Amino acid sequence: MQSQVTTPRIDFSQLLRAAEGLTQWRPALLGFLTLLGCAVLAGAGQFLAMRLGGAGGALLTLLVMLLTLVVAASGFSGAGALLMDRAKGLAPRSLVDALVFGLMCLPKFIGFALVLLGLTLGLTLVAAVVYFVCKVPGIGPLLLFVAHPVLVVVAGVFFTAVFWVVVPLFTPAVWDGRGFKEALSLVFTVARTRLVQVVALFLVLYVVIWVIGFLLFAALLPGYGFMTGLAGSILGLGSLGGMSSLMGLLSGYGSGSGHMYAGVLSSGLIFAVAITLMFQVLIMGVNLVYLAASSGVDVSASQNALEAGLAQARDKAREAQVRARDAAQRARQSAQQAVESARPSPAAPVAAAAARAGCPQCHEAVAPDDVFCGHCGHRLQ
């Protein structure tokens, strides 16, 4: 049974709701705490790694980086789930529930990253085989002339689809509570049937985000510059909270008083809040595009096809495993037979002893340990 998919009418006005992300304090607080936690982890990890030094410091740096990535992904996924509740008109969940939900989304994102990695490696392998064939003398240059533009177009379409459609649709699908296979099936169905609508919605969304960001920073930067200059002139600190002061303090050069540190940290706090608000506008807009693109989509057929493909892949892998096990068993049996054939047969001494029960010359009875025949003197051994 094929899925019935109706082409939706493109309603760009709903993307204006992306500005609602500026007014949602729960995801804003979670996003700000996430940035703060990542900054604390990065700073503490760098300090401890420098104190520890050596291989231990490098290992500690790697562990802190992984932990920072987990915290960042969990926090922003939780904020995305809260904004998804807002986009769907649902009651927002608590911050703890959102953070736990964001942490539970990580396995799906890791699996999705592995899928994209597998597709990229497959495309790379196909292109490498084609380019190796192009090394053949004579027909190689002609094949390269034809194949290279085709591969460039295929790679361009692939990466454009990944960054413009696949990733922006899979992420809110997970925030919507869909399973891994269901989210993949939804992305495949939308990319196959509503690609033009989705790309148009994302283009308009990015324009809306640019306008909102311009207005936000146009309101922030004059006040920041005026008050920073006034505070620096009164306190006698020069460029209080400026980029040169920040880089100097982070690199350990220059003298930093308490006022200087306070100015730099407060500047970081201001811009962290601004960046968090802009991320909320982006996430809110992506959620709205996802809801518009997935409206009325029946993913049952695509999900069944995906499950059938996965089942076929599992069957092939199982058959390959069985064939490998049978081949290994046959190899062991062949090796065992070769060893047994090289080993002397236990019946040989018995046959030899039986043959020596009589003298080969006079056929008189002799003992197995006799050297000469006692009747005719024939040498037996």
Side-chain angles (χ1 to χ4, degrees):
M1 180 179 179
Q2 296 183 350
S3 58
Q4 301 294 329
V5 181
T6 58
T7 303
R9 182 176 61 89
I10 303 179
D11 184 11
F12 296 110
S13 61
Q14 61 183 338
L15 297 179
L16 297 177
R17 290 187 57 200
E20 295 180 9
L22 297 173
T23 62
Q24 303 303 307
W25 69 269
R26 289 176 183 269
L29 179 59
L30 183 57
F32 175 75
L33 292 177
T34 300
L35 288 177
L36 183 61
C38 292
V40 172
L41 282 175
Q46 184 178 5
F47 175 77
L48 293 177
M50 292 177 62
R51 294 293 299 271
L52 186 60
L59 180 60
L60 180 61
T61 301
L62 179 61
L63 293 177
V64 171
M65 288 177 58
L66 292 177
L67 182 59
T68 304
L69 288 176
V70 170
V71 172
S74 302
F76 283 107
S77 292
L82 289 171
L83 291 172
M84 178 62 73
D85 294 339
R86 174 64 181 178
K88 297 175 65 175
L90 302 176
R93 66 195 79 187
S94 65
L95 293 180
V96 176
D97 292 340
L99 184 61
V100 172
F101 179 81
L103 182 62
M104 298 301 293
C105 292
L106 292 185
K108 300 177 184 179
F109 291 137
I110 294 174
F112 179 63
L114 293 178
V115 170
L116 293 181
L117 178 61
L119 293 176
T120 305
L121 292 178
L123 178 62
T124 304
L125 180 61
V126 171
V129 171
V130 173
Y131 286 132
F132 272 114
V133 174
C134 292
K135 297 176 66 175
V136 176
I139 196 175
L142 178 60
L143 180 61
L144 179 63
F145 175 77
V146 176
H148 184 65
V150 174
L151 291 175
V152 169
V153 172
V154 170
V157 171
F158 172 75
F159 289 112
T160 301
V162 167
F163 292 110
W164 277 80
V165 179
V166 177
V167 174
L169 288 182
F170 181 85
T171 304
V174 173
W175 294 338
D176 195 20
R178 295 180 184 266
F180 180 73
K181 295 180 181 179
E182 185 181 3
L184 282 181
S185 302
L186 175 67
V187 170
F188 175 75
T189 303
V190 172
R192 182 171 54 88
T193 59
R194 302 180 176 182
L195 182 61
V196 176
Q197 291 85 349
V198 172
V199 172
L201 286 172
F202 276 121
L203 285 174
V204 176
L205 172 63
Y206 295 147
V207 173
V208 171
I209 293 174
W210 185 87
V211 172
I212 294 176
F214 175 79
L215 295 177
L216 177 63
F217 283 94
L220 176 64
L221 292 179
Y224 173 78
F226 179 77
M227 288 300 173
T228 300
L230 180 61
S233 61
I234 294 177
L235 297 175
L237 298 176
S239 58
L240 175 64
M243 184 58 64
S244 59
S245 301
L246 177 61
M247 296 302 297
L249 291 178
L250 291 179
S251 59
Y253 296 101
S255 59
S257 63
H259 292 90
M260 179 65 72
Y261 280 104
V264 171
L265 292 178
S266 63
S267 298
L269 176 64
I270 293 171
F271 285 100
V273 171
I275 293 174
T276 301
L277 293 177
M278 288 307 304
F279 266 110
Q280 290 201 175
V281 174
L282 173 62
I283 294 173
M284 185 69 179
V286 170
N287 288 340
L288 293 172
V289 173
Y290 157 77
L291 292 177
S294 62
S295 177
V297 174
D298 182 12
V299 299
S300 58
S302 299
Q303 190 171 1
N304 292 334
L306 177 62
E307 292 179 355
L310 293 176
Q312 185 178 4
R314 286 194 299 266
D315 293 339
K316 290 183 178 180
R318 192 178 297 110
E319 292 176 359
Q321 184 179 3
V322 170
R323 288 196 297 267
R325 186 170 59 249
D326 293 341
Q329 185 175 1
R330 287 194 298 268
R332 287 195 300 268
Q333 291 177 354
S334 300
Q336 185 176 1
Q337 291 176 359
V339 172
E340 290 179 354
S341 62
R343 185 183 305 166
S345 176
V350 177
R356 292 180 53 192
C359 178
Q361 184 173 352
C362 63
H363 305 292
E364 291 291 334
V366 294
D369 55 348
D370 289 343
V371 179
F372 298 95
C373 176
H375 184 267
C376 65
H378 179 72
R379 184 179 180 85
L380 301 176
Q381 297 184 6

